[in-house]
Amino acid sequence: MSDGVLPYTVEPHPVTGVYSGKLGTWLFLASEVMLFGALFSAYILLRVGAPETGRAAWPTAEEAGLSWKIGGFNTLILIISSVTMVMAWVSLKMGNFGKARMFLAITVALALTFLVLKFTLEYVPKIQHGHGPDHSVFFGLYFTMTGLHALHIIGGIVVMLYFMFPGAGLWKTNPEYYTNRIECTGLYWHFVDLVWIFLFPVLYLMN
Amino acid sequence: MADAHADVSKHVRMYMAVFAALAVGTVLTVLVSRYDFGGSINVVIALAIATVKASLVAAIFMHLKWESCSAIWMTLALCAMFFMVLIFVPVLIANDLPPQVRIGTWG
């Protein structure tokens, strides 16, 4: 291993049996589980302990005014984006960089669709109607949880764009390393999808 | 080290099957939420479907089904343990909160 080169990016580490990027990504995802877990924990406490009236009272479906149609549609978008993400990795495994880049582009497009729908159909109208994060405990939670999730979507878009354009040169010099990095990107992206799978029923359907 | 993904094209069909299952699961979640099963049964059903969907994503898309790295599994086991604490602490203490710190008295 020459100086300045990360070891075990392609060949498995002798101790762990996987390339180090994968273990690193899983450690990061474990910390992400705790981050979102703390918010789900807060959700349960605030919901179970909610009083009958006042700003901490739990809203009914009508009071919350969250459309299951928008939420459900966005759920499907994220599920499809998970499929295109894994197909990008499959394409690289089969040596087809062009196809992989196309699948990454579709994934980014779906992620942007998710964000645009979220902002134009939910955040902006909610805030305009006075249902901002300061309206009640429920909307405080709603904006914190979906906002943190939206930040993760933005982060995923940045990483995918990086590997589509400035980071794409790695495919020519070290295709296996590049493929592994896309696999790690996929692990992260599927996790973001996984969080939404819980956020959707918890925020849109359980009122 | 044998490459578990040597014949990766065979996986594609499985990915599509998982996609179909996730789509069906999403529709199912919406459908069951529209009926009142009474009490907290709705919550249990919704979370059960979400857990199945999340497990499919983790097992197939995130390749855990084929993961043999014990360091990853130990990380996940530890993570699951702490996650359980996070989830069950509020459930268990919710009814024991003294009135003066009960949430929402400022509402």
Side-chain angles (χ1 to χ4, degrees):
Chain A
M1 223 21 92
S2 59
D3 288 334
V5 176
L6 277 175
Y8 307 113
T9 53
V10 174
E11 73 276 26
H13 190 285
V15 174
T16 63
V18 289
Y19 63 91
S20 293
K22 185 186 257 189
L23 179 59
T25 304
W26 275 111
L27 285 171
F28 167 62
L29 291 185
S31 79
E32 291 275 86
V33 170
M34 300 321 287
L35 175 63
F36 281 101
L39 289 174
F40 279 105
S41 187
Y43 171 96
I44 297 169
L45 182 67
L46 292 168
R47 182 181 179 143
V48 177
E52 293 294 313
T53 55
R55 300 216 297 173
W58 210 256
T60 61
E62 297 84 63
E63 284 164 348
L66 290 168
S67 162
W68 62 266
K69 288 173 190 159
I70 302 169
F73 189 70
N74 261 346
T75 307
L76 288 176
I77 285 179
L78 278 195
I79 290 171
I80 297 168
S81 83
S82 256
V83 178
T84 55
M85 184 73 230
V86 83
M87 288 309 294
W89 174 76
V90 166
S91 305
L92 291 175
K93 276 278 175 189
M94 297 195 289
N96 192 337
F97 176 73
K99 210 172 165 188
R101 185 137 83 170
M102 181 200 74
F103 276 120
L104 282 178
I106 299 173
T107 312
V108 169
L110 289 165
L112 286 171
T113 310
F114 177 94
L115 284 181
V116 168
L117 289 178
K118 192 118 205 73
F119 275 85
T120 59
L121 297 178
E122 295 197 318
Y123 283 176
V124 173
K126 283 272 169 296
I127 291 169
Q128 279 173 348
H129 286 108
H131 287 79
D134 59 341
H135 175 266
S136 61
V137 165
F138 175 79
F139 277 103
L141 270 172
Y142 165 78
F143 277 96
T144 308
M145 295 176 98
T146 60
L148 184 67
H149 181 264
L151 282 177
H152 279 77
I153 300 268
I154 293 170
I157 292 173
V158 170
V159 171
M160 283 182 253
L161 286 176
Y162 171 78
F163 284 124
M164 281 168 67
F165 300 107
L170 185 64
W171 172 255
K172 293 196 179 74
T173 55
N174 193 344
E176 285 183 68
Y177 184 16
Y178 184 82
T179 307
N180 284 347
R181 296 192 82 179
I182 293 297
E183 185 180 21
C184 291
T185 309
L187 285 176
Y188 168 80
W189 191 251
H190 302 313
F191 174 79
V192 174
D193 181 18
L194 197 149
V195 170
W196 185 261
I197 286 175
F198 283 101
L199 281 180
F200 172 54
V202 159
L203 293 173
Y204 288 77
L205 302 174
M206 286 189 195
N207 286 295
Chain B
M1 195 76 195
D3 190 353
H5 304 291
D7 199 357
V8 85
S9 57
K10 275 186 182 169
H11 285 197
V12 173
R13 205 178 305 151
M14 192 184 300
Y15 294 143
M16 294 307 149
V18 170
F19 165 65
L22 292 175
V24 170
T26 305
V27 174
L28 203 63
T29 311
V30 173
L31 285 180
V32 296
S33 77
R34 300 177 76 76
Y35 294 94
D36 189 5
F37 292 95
S40 53
I41 298 179
N42 276 61
V43 174
V44 173
I45 293 174
L47 286 182
I49 297 174
T51 306
V52 171
K53 286 169 71 186
S55 306
L56 277 174
V57 170
I60 310 297
F61 288 162
M62 299 172 89
H63 303 150
L64 279 182
K65 188 178 189 296
W66 302 278
E67 191 55 72
S68 55
C69 170
S70 60
I72 289 177
W73 284 111
M74 283 193 285
T75 304
L76 289 177
L78 194 65
C79 181
M81 223 167 69
F82 280 110
F83 183 77
M84 285 303 181
V85 173
L86 271 182
I87 297 306
F88 281 106
V89 162
V91 173
L92 296 178
I93 67 166
N95 292 322
D96 299 329
L97 293 174
Q100 62 269 29
V101 296
R102 259 194 100 85
I103 307 138
T105 47
W106 47 273

